[in-house]
Amino acid sequence: MTTFAVLVIAQYRWWHDHGRPFSWVLLPATPLLAFVPAGIIVKSLRKRWTAGWAEEHGFVYRRVSDWPVPAWDFPPFTIGRARRFRVRDTMQGTVGTYPARFFHLTWLHNNRINVSTHYRNVFTMKLPTALPRMTVGVTLDGSIGDRVEFESANFNDQFSVHSSNPAFAHAVLTPRTIGKLVDLAGQHGGAVTLTKFEIVGDLLVGITTLGNRPHEIGGVFDAMRIIADGIPRFVWNDYGTPATRTIA
């Protein structure tokens, strides 16, 4: 009720001062914004954005899917108190030459005091062969290895790279790839810098709380394509192994 009163007062004052409403769309939507939970509105928009992006880029979108929850050995898939993982709003297609997928992952977290709902948007891109594990971006997983520093201060400030093999990390992330990622981060901001990219066998995986809006979806997939395209040929020969993991 308080939200409704605040919205009505704000619109009345704007109309009084400017001779017109702030927005003809917002005016009739005021009761909806005030009394309908924000999560329901965001959920509806997210589904529409995902379906629209899929149609525009030649992906196949399915609101309800039978895809299994991936059995990956890193968070959020290894959270001990997580329950009822669900895969929703899936789409699949190609990004460049790479088979790619997207899905919205939800789960319940029971911390013994209350039960809360959490989610991540998950992006995958199929690589030519399996490679050693490495992450680029935000992570709290200490099992990956030490942080690897690069010559680009801008890159180090925006991306955290972790690997148990620094030589492999430097081989994958060439100066050209680093420059492209920094430029892309300048265009898309948090959609790129707040996403964790991880090599998981023969997959490049992106996990983020963003990736809902169309430009965020495109930004994450662009970053993944830059990483995959930038891997030199010798890396596939020297570090590649037969795939032991499959896509979700």
Side-chain angles (χ1 to χ4, degrees):
M1 189 64 183
T2 301
T3 303
F4 178 71
V6 170
L7 288 172
V8 169
I9 292 172
Q11 292 193 65
Y12 170 78
R13 289 182 175 178
W14 181 277
W15 198 329
H16 182 271
D17 294 339
H18 297 83
R20 65 181 186 278
F22 175 76
S23 169
W24 288 105
V25 175
L26 182 60
L27 184 63
T30 294
L32 181 66
L33 294 174
F35 297 112
V36 176
I40 296 177
I41 299 174
V42 172
K43 180 178 179 181
S44 176
L45 291 175
R46 175 179 54 77
K47 293 177 180 293
R48 184 180 303 175
W49 287 331
T50 304
W53 191 95
E55 181 177 4
E56 182 178 350
H57 293 83
F59 274 56
V60 177
Y61 169 80
R62 294 176 62 190
R63 176 170 294 186
V64 179
S65 174
D66 57 356
W67 292 2
V69 177
W72 294 328
D73 58 350
F74 55 83
F77 304 94
T78 54
I79 297 176
R81 297 188 183 279
R83 299 289 184 272
R84 294 182 62 185
F85 280 100
R86 295 289 186 273
V87 171
R88 311 171 189 272
D89 297 308
T90 65
M91 61 178 175
Q92 61 181 346
T94 57
V95 175
T97 60
Y98 308 98
R101 285 188 172 189
F102 167 96
F103 60 89
H104 185 73
L105 179 74
T106 63
W107 71 92
L108 297 179
H109 186 78
N110 184 359
N111 62 6
R112 296 183 180 178
I113 299 176
N114 57 28
V115 178
S116 55
T117 302
H118 297 259
Y119 78 89
R120 294 292 186 275
N121 290 314
V122 182
F123 301 72
T124 68
M125 181 180 291
K126 188 73 175 291
L127 300 175
T129 188
L131 292 173
R133 189 180 181 195
M134 184 186 82
T135 67
V136 180
V138 180
T139 182
L140 298 176
D141 188 353
S143 67
I144 302 169
D146 295 332
R147 180 169 182 178
V148 182
E149 298 285 340
F150 294 81
E151 293 184 2
S152 171
N154 287 337
F155 179 79
N156 291 331
D157 288 342
Q158 297 180 77
F159 299 91
S160 296
V161 177
H162 289 78
S163 173
S164 60
N165 187 341
F168 171 69
H170 280 278
V172 169
L173 297 172
T174 66
R176 183 176 182 182
T177 297
I178 287 173
K180 288 184 176 181
L181 287 175
V182 170
D183 290 342
L184 187 69
Q187 300 173 26
H188 294 279
V192 175
T193 58
L194 297 181
T195 297
K196 182 187 77 167
F197 303 98
E198 182 158 356
I199 295 177
V200 185
D202 62 342
L203 295 177
L204 178 60
V205 179
I207 300 178
T208 180
T209 56
L210 301 177
N212 291 310
R213 298 175 181 273
H215 73 276
E216 294 173 344
I217 297 174
V220 173
F221 271 135
D222 285 345
M224 296 174 71
R225 182 176 180 180
I226 287 173
I227 294 172
D229 281 348
I231 299 177
R233 181 175 299 178
F234 79 87
V235 172
W236 303 111
N237 296 330
D238 293 351
Y239 294 95
T241 58
T244 58
R245 301 178 184 272
T246 58
I247 200 164

